[in-house]
Structures are given as C-alpha cells and as structure tokens.
Amino acid sequence: MKFSGQLIAKHMARYPRMQLLDVYKLLHQAALGNSHAVSNPEEVIRRLESELLDVQGPSEPLWEPISPDGRLVRVHLRPYAAGKHDIQSLAMAVVQTAMNYPPAPERLAKFCACTGDLASEGILPFKRAEVVTFFEEIAEHGYPAVRHSKEYREAYKPSYRVVGLELLPPQVKSN
C-alpha cells in the first residue's frame, strides 16, 4: 500500500480533479504497462505524430514515474514537443516498452485492493464505500483498460505515452 498511496497522493496533488476512473487508470498503467495501447509500430508513430500537431493544455513535467521501481514513466507530449525531442525515439520507446515491460495483473489487484484504506486515510477524496464499490466492479470486469474521465480530460487535456525510462534518450531522461 505504501507505493500506491504515495503515487496516488502525488497525482491527486498535481491533478485534484482526478476521479476514481483516473486513479484506476494510473494503477492499471503502473501494473500492466502500455501493451494494451500498442497495436503495431506504424500505428504508434502515426498516432503520435497526429497527437503532436495539437498539444495544447496545461504545463507538466517532461516525465513522471508511475511504477514502484521508477522504471515506468508517463512522458508528457507538450514538454516533449516543446523540447523538440525526436518523435521516432519516443515511438520506438513506446513499442519496446509494450514488448518488454512485464505486465503484473496480481500487482494491479493488490493496488486496487488498497484503495479503500487510502480513502479512509484521506489520500483519496472519496468515501470509502464509494471507492470499495468502484474497485469491486472493476475487478468483476477483469480490470479492463479505460480512458480518463471526462472531468480529467477537460481539466488537464492529457497527452502522454507510457514508456520504460531506460528506453528514453539521455537528454530526455536528464530533464
């Protein structure tokens, strides 16, 4: 629970409009990586180039860790584009992450099981019963991949890719 509590607390501080769906998406990515979002390398590059054409929204760090060991990160496209970093390098890192990051469904179940306690501790700004019910329903549906909530999308205009930190170019990692 220590990792998930710290991770969620950091994200709630940065993104106070997060909903339970967004908390779950964060935990899903931390445990399972990005393999659900990668169909083929050409599609990754095409979608990335298309998204980079319009990356308006709030500022955020170039990358932020989302896994317990810090090796899996969200690379935010606004600062990535502003820094004129190489799109092909990011696309290859996305694909390599999908092929190499070992999904851990048991870790996701563990992260989700702790969320009721996080609500009781005040880390999550939702009632414990609401949190427990939400995550029980997610478990019943087999922990599916989801989109961010409407509230989160409107407030933060998320535009990022989940990648292995070691796969990023040195100039990106050093930021």
Side-chain angles (χ1 to χ4, degrees):
M1 180 168 67
K2 183 178 180 182
F3 165 75
S4 58
Q6 291 172 346
L7 176 68
I8 292 169
K10 284 180 187 175
H11 280 259
M12 290 301 303
R14 181 173 288 144
Y15 309 107
R17 304 261 328 261
M18 282 180 79
Q19 303 299 304
L20 285 174
L21 189 63
D22 307 303
V23 171
Y24 168 67
K25 182 171 182 75
L26 177 63
L27 297 175
H28 188 277
Q29 291 172 336
L32 303 181
N34 70 351
S35 61
H36 71 280
V38 178
S39 53
N40 67 58
E42 293 80 24
E43 179 68 12
V44 169
I45 292 169
R46 188 192 65 72
R47 287 179 61 205
L48 186 56
E49 288 174 340
S50 173
E51 194 171 339
L52 283 167
L53 293 174
D54 184 29
V55 285
Q56 303 298 315
S59 66
E60 62 255 311
L62 180 55
W63 57 268
E64 59 189 334
I66 61 167
S67 65
D69 57 11
R71 290 182 31 227
L72 194 63
V73 301
R74 282 180 175 172
V75 175
H76 294 282
L77 298 185
R78 283 181 281 277
Y80 194 89
K84 300 192 184 332
H85 297 292
D86 183 59
I87 295 170
Q88 292 283 70
S89 295
L90 180 58
M92 292 311 302
V94 168
V95 171
Q96 289 175 346
T97 300
M99 294 184 329
N100 298 315
Y101 186 81
E106 70 286 346
R107 185 180 301 152
L108 177 58
K110 227 183 264 189
F111 289 165
C112 291
C114 296
T115 56
D117 291 340
L118 298 177
S120 294
E121 294 171 17
I123 293 171
L124 285 173
F126 307 99
K127 293 181 178 164
R128 179 183 176 85
E130 176 185 6
V131 172
V132 170
T133 299
F134 176 86
F135 281 96
E136 284 174 351
E137 289 174 8
I138 287 289
E140 288 172 13
H141 288 96
Y143 298 105
V146 297
R147 291 187 64 198
H148 280 290
S149 68
K150 179 181 177 187
E151 295 87 350
Y152 189 95
R153 288 191 315 267
E154 288 175 357
Y156 307 113
K157 298 173 181 25
S159 185
Y160 60 82
R161 293 298 183 275
V162 174
V163 301
L165 182 61
E166 74 278 1
L167 300 171
L168 293 174
Q171 66 274 20
V172 175
K173 286 192 279 190
S174 66
N175 281 340

